[in-house]
Amino acid sequence: MACILKNVLSSGNNCKENPAGLSSHIFVVPLDADHITTIGVNDAKNQYVITPAGGSAQTPATALKGFRIDFKSQTGQVTSEDNGQGKGWTHTGTGRVELNEDDMALVSRTLHNTDKNLFFFPTGNVTEEGVEYKVIGNQFGEAEWTVTGDTGAARGDDHGQTFTVTCAYQVYPVMKWFGTIEQETDGTFTDETNDNVTITD
């Protein structure tokens, strides 16, 4: 990439609102040929350039397909931490699922035992380029999914499963993608192993 330095001016946001926080869902997009044709880093903007899979040469696909996970409002967050001079950034995304804990447990097992996924957190902003997403994960599939569970003690306590997804190498402190993600419907992203054990006396 070219070494680009530019002025960072507060007027660059075109006088638009800039609230904190995220929307209350993420999309998990497998980094495979069924979902993504090409992916790369834009050297002029802190964005990924992604070509969705599907379509044809005449009418290429314009939307990614991903698996949606809804989480409790105002529990989602994306943070980044500097890895040191010239070593990129570690990005972390979190959220807490209170409703539909059983499906969350099933999905978490699959994501915990696989890699090569990208995680898209919508910010709530929509631009001419599409929906704005903050992305955890890189083109090498280096994103790790972990989950903790908590029942809460009192009936009114927060409870559920809190997920954390971490990518230890991203080239910008904020990584985005703009576009459309459609909810995946084929249901093929599952753990099909059979680990039944027969107990004998």
Side-chain angles (χ1 to χ4, degrees):
M1 76 172 270
C3 293
I4 300 171
L5 280 175
K6 60 189 299 185
N7 296 309
V8 179
L9 306 177
S10 61
S11 59
N13 71 348
N14 297 318
C15 299
K16 293 183 179 178
E17 291 78 11
N18 186 23
L22 300 166
S23 297
S24 57
H25 68 276
I26 65 169
F27 281 104
V28 182
V29 178
L31 194 60
D32 60 29
D34 290 332
H35 293 86
I36 294 175
T37 300
T38 62
I39 177 174
V41 174
N42 188 329
D43 285 335
K45 298 178 180 179
N46 58 317
Q47 299 175 17
Y48 280 121
V49 179
I50 300 174
T51 304
S56 64
Q58 292 75 27
T59 56
T62 58
L64 289 173
K65 287 190 177 293
F67 296 88
R68 179 172 168 148
I69 298 174
D70 292 336
F71 55 81
K72 185 177 180 181
S73 179
Q74 298 186 54
T75 64
Q77 186 175 18
V78 171
T79 62
S80 64
E81 182 178 347
D82 198 302
N83 292 337
Q85 188 81 35
K87 297 176 184 176
W89 286 263
T90 294
H91 288 201
T92 303
T94 60
R96 183 169 58 256
V97 175
E98 277 194 346
L99 303 177
N100 202 354
E101 287 193 71
D102 292 336
D103 281 352
M104 179 60 175
L106 180 69
V107 168
S108 290
R109 181 186 183 195
T110 300
L111 292 175
H112 192 262
N113 292 331
T114 60
D115 57 5
K116 304 212 180 298
N117 300 298
L118 296 173
F119 299 85
F120 293 78
F121 291 75
T123 65
N125 295 327
V126 179
T127 71
E128 293 179 354
E129 299 173 271
V131 176
E132 178 186 60
Y133 294 91
K134 292 194 174 181
V135 185
I136 306 292
N138 60 28
Q139 64 270 38
F140 309 112
E142 298 172 346
E144 185 174 309
W145 175 272
T146 60
V147 170
T148 60
D150 184 358
T151 64
R155 285 299 189 190
D157 286 352
D158 275 347
H159 65 281
Q161 297 168 53
T162 300
F163 67 83
T164 301
V165 57
T166 305
C167 179
Y169 176 69
Q170 296 194 231
V171 299
Y172 292 110
V174 176
M175 200 69 199
K176 295 183 178 182
W177 182 76
F178 292 84
T180 302
I181 302 179
E182 298 174 351
Q183 190 170 317
E184 181 65 88
T185 58
D186 70 5
T188 59
F189 191 51
T190 57
D191 183 350
E192 297 178 352
T193 60
N194 186 341
D195 297 325
N196 290 340
V197 176
T198 301
I199 306 299
T200 59
D201 292 332

